[in-house]
Amino acid sequence: MDKFPDELPDEQITRLFDELARSARILRAFSHVDDTVPEVSNASHHVLKTLEARQPTHAADLAHALGIGAASMSWHLAELMAAGLVDKRPNDIDARRQVLWVTESGNDRLEARDQLRRARMAELMPQWDEEQLAFLVRSLGELNDTMMHGIKLHRDHDFPPADDGSLPRE
């Protein structure tokens, strides 16, 4: 893949942010169409999906992976636990930290919602071939990774890691 020049045209960067904002609004609207878990927000569903991929883990580690603060993570986890989709227990090594995982009910809800979303998206994209879809997935993944790296660099600049090498807490 060709690398961008040192300076990207401002117009293209502006258009990129406009399209990302448009995509975020459309994704939010699309997510509400298949709201299969009304007691859980779409944002909390994303936390649940990320937890599924990283379980068992701790709230701080999950928040760091998602690029959100501790307060937001607490809110999402409270919502998910109230719905019976996530459970926790004290960490065997440090009882002050809780280990989180997705419950069987949470796994069932994730699978049902994923199946529904895949079917709905496939209906909207019959003219797309596998190569186009793979390119889009790869490009969005690279963009997301780049943006998360930028967020972490900014946070490390504002809140340098502790001398012990641990990540800063929010």
Side-chain angles (χ1 to χ4, degrees):
M1 179 185 220
D2 292 335
K3 296 291 180 188
F4 288 116
D6 289 339
E7 292 189 31
L8 296 171
D10 287 347
E11 179 183 333
Q12 291 299 329
I13 297 294
T14 299
R15 288 185 63 205
L16 174 63
F17 274 105
D18 290 346
E19 286 301 320
L20 287 171
R22 181 173 171 243
S23 293
R25 288 189 305 274
I26 291 169
L27 185 57
R28 241 185 331 274
F30 191 79
S31 294
H32 288 293
V33 169
D34 62 11
D35 203 0
T36 58
V37 189
E39 70 271 19
V40 175
S41 69
N42 285 305
S44 290
H45 180 266
H46 183 64
V47 170
L48 181 66
K49 188 139 181 86
T50 304
L51 173 58
E52 178 192 37
R54 296 175 165 271
Q55 67 184 342
T57 192
H58 302 97
D61 298 334
L62 190 57
H64 187 263
L66 288 165
I68 64 175
S72 293
M73 180 54 63
S74 293
W75 187 88
H76 291 301
L77 290 174
E79 185 178 41
L80 292 165
M81 284 187 255
L85 306 177
V86 169
D87 206 350
K88 66 181 179 179
R89 66 171 167 72
N91 183 313
D92 294 336
I93 298 170
D94 182 355
R96 296 170 297 174
R97 296 186 78 191
Q98 300 289 313
V99 177
L100 304 167
W101 69 91
V102 177
T103 64
E104 186 175 334
S105 177
N107 285 319
D108 292 346
R109 297 275 181 104
L110 281 171
E111 182 56 32
R113 191 163 183 171
D114 285 349
Q115 284 179 358
L116 180 61
R117 285 182 168 190
R118 283 191 301 266
R120 286 204 173 133
M121 188 59 82
E123 288 173 11
L124 296 174
M125 304 173 73
Q127 72 281 8
W128 285 58
D129 64 31
E130 190 173 338
E131 186 177 321
Q132 287 174 297
L133 187 56
F135 176 78
L136 177 61
V137 169
R138 191 172 50 256
S139 296
L140 283 174
E142 289 174 10
L143 178 61
N144 286 334
D145 290 345
T146 298
M147 292 177 75
M148 283 299 294
H149 179 71
I151 289 168
K152 289 175 183 174
L153 284 176
H154 178 75
R155 286 188 177 164
D156 286 347
H157 178 267
D158 292 343
F159 305 100
D163 290 340
D164 64 0
S166 65
L167 295 172
R169 300 280 182 221
E170 292 185 33

